[in-house]
Amino acid sequence: MPKNVFITGASSGIGYACAELFARKGYNLILNARRESRIADLSERLQSEYGIQVRNLIFDVRERESVFAAVESLSGWETDIDILVNNAGLALGMNDLPDGDLNDWEQMIDTNVKGLLYVSKALIPGMKKRQSGHIFNVGSIAGRETYLKGNVYCATKHAVHSLTKAMRIELVSHNIKVSLISPGATETEFSKVRFKGDDDTAKNVYRGFEPLKADDIAQCIVFCAELPLHVNVDDMLIMPTAQASATIIHKQLQG
Ligand code: NDP
Ligand code: 8X3
């Protein structure tokens, strides 16, 4: 029986790469994001290329009624979630606190923390009932180190790290694995979103060194997912070779 993987934020970046890699390995998928057409295109392609089953689940993780209604709407094979990848998330802006935008703060907290909680609350009971499952929470180097002007985003990722420990403690007696995946600089749409469409600033983040690719993170997640039943990777920090900490990146810039 193929396993079923539920991925939030699958329309881009790390979530998209996880969908691709799990599909290539024959897993069935439940794909979530807000951008319906991107999920529809991805889902159609993965079904035809890999012959897997895919259910599209379009909702905003911040809207709690939508989260629970979406999970309630699952039926048949879709109800048995073996693997949850809590990936949907974003950073908005880089400012000292007094200059921060309140709407940006709320969107980051509501997405990265409360959204992850809603999706987990909706899916954990099924895993407990079956006494099996694997939850991946996508944290960040920003969940280990706080950097200048990263204040609220870093705080949300610290919260993800803490909640991952909470889940691990609660679920250890239910045979459910919980893994924290913490990437360093990964070139996705992340910086474009953070800098609100300012492509030059976004590209500059990755200039002069080789950042991680979304597929590098997907490879790590699938590796952890395929370990023997008695092995759990609790905590994985993945950095580009050129990055030694949140702010120390060896860049070779010309001109
Ligand atoms: P992308 O911007 O490429 O992807 C983010 C994904 O999250 C998109 O699919 C987006 O879909 C989805 N998303 C955002 N808000 C919501 C929402 N409210 N409801 C549902 N889905 C949402 O960035 P990444 O792939 O880089 O980011 C994925 C995760 O990785 C995030 O949690 C991020 O914090 C984390 N991360 C990223 C790093 C990096 O350097 N790139 C490093 C460390 C961690 P849509 O807009 O269609 O809803
Ligand atoms: C994303 C990585 O360093 O931009 O979580 O915060 S960083």
Side-chain angles (χ1 to χ4, degrees), residues 9-14 32-35 59-62 87-90 111 138-140 153 157 183-186 188-190 193:
S11 62
S12 166
I14 293 168
N32 154 261
R34 294 165 300 176
R35 284 171 289 183
F59 63 83
D60 185 325
V61 297
R62 292 172 293 170
N87 162 75
L90 78 175
T111 307
V138 179
S140 171
Y153 177 68
K157 288 298 176 179
T186 311
T188 60
E189 292 179 13
F190 177 85
V193 171

Side-chain angles (χ1 to χ4, degrees), residues 14 23 34 50 55 81-82 92-94 111 137 142 150 187 203 216 225 247:
I14 293 168
R34 294 165 300 176
Y50 303 111
R55 168 72 189 268
I81 307 301
D82 298 292
L92 288 169
M94 268 190 101
T111 307
N137 290 334
E187 192 165 11
K203 283 204 179 89
D216 298 324
T247 52

Side-chain angles (χ1 to χ4, degrees), residues 70-224:
V71 170
E72 276 290 306
S73 77
L74 298 175
S75 65
W77 69 269
E78 304 159 359
T79 58
D80 289 349
I81 307 301
D82 298 292
I83 297 169
L84 164 61
V85 184
N86 269 323
N87 162 75
L90 78 175
L92 288 169
M94 268 190 101
N95 303 100
D96 287 341
L97 278 177
D99 303 323
D101 182 308
L102 295 180
N103 291 325
D104 287 351
W105 292 2
E106 283 178 16
Q107 189 170 348
M108 286 188 276
I109 293 165
D110 289 351
T111 307
N112 301 358
V113 184
K114 290 160 75 180
L116 178 145
L117 281 169
Y118 299 153
V119 173
S120 303
K121 181 170 169 58
L123 292 176
I124 286 172
M127 290 184 173
K128 276 172 116 170
K129 204 163 151 200
R130 291 189 306 282
Q131 291 288 292
S132 78
H134 196 160
I135 299 171
F136 289 91
N137 290 334
V138 179
S140 171
I141 180 65
R144 291 172 186 256
E145 293 174 43
T146 303
Y147 53 83
L148 188 65
K149 300 181 192 290
N151 41 56
V152 176
Y153 177 68
C154 294
T156 65
K157 288 298 176 179
H158 277 71
V160 170
H161 287 215
S162 172
L163 288 169
T164 306
K165 284 187 194 135
M167 289 183 195
R168 180 89 176 103
I169 293 163
E170 281 179 28
L171 298 175
V172 70
S173 55
H174 295 277
N175 195 39
I176 296 169
K177 299 187 186 191
V178 183
S179 301
L180 176 64
I181 301 293
S182 304
T186 311
E187 192 165 11
T188 60
E189 292 179 13
F190 177 85
S191 290
K192 198 171 168 188
V193 171
R194 176 172 232 173
F195 299 111
K196 303 181 182 179
D198 177 348
D199 273 336
D200 289 344
T201 306
K203 283 204 179 89
N204 207 31
V205 173
Y206 310 108
R207 256 182 77 213
F209 75 108
E210 187 171 354
L212 297 169
K213 296 183 287 298
D215 179 63
D216 298 324
I217 306 304
Q219 297 278 356
C220 292
I221 291 176
V222 172
F223 167 79
C224 295

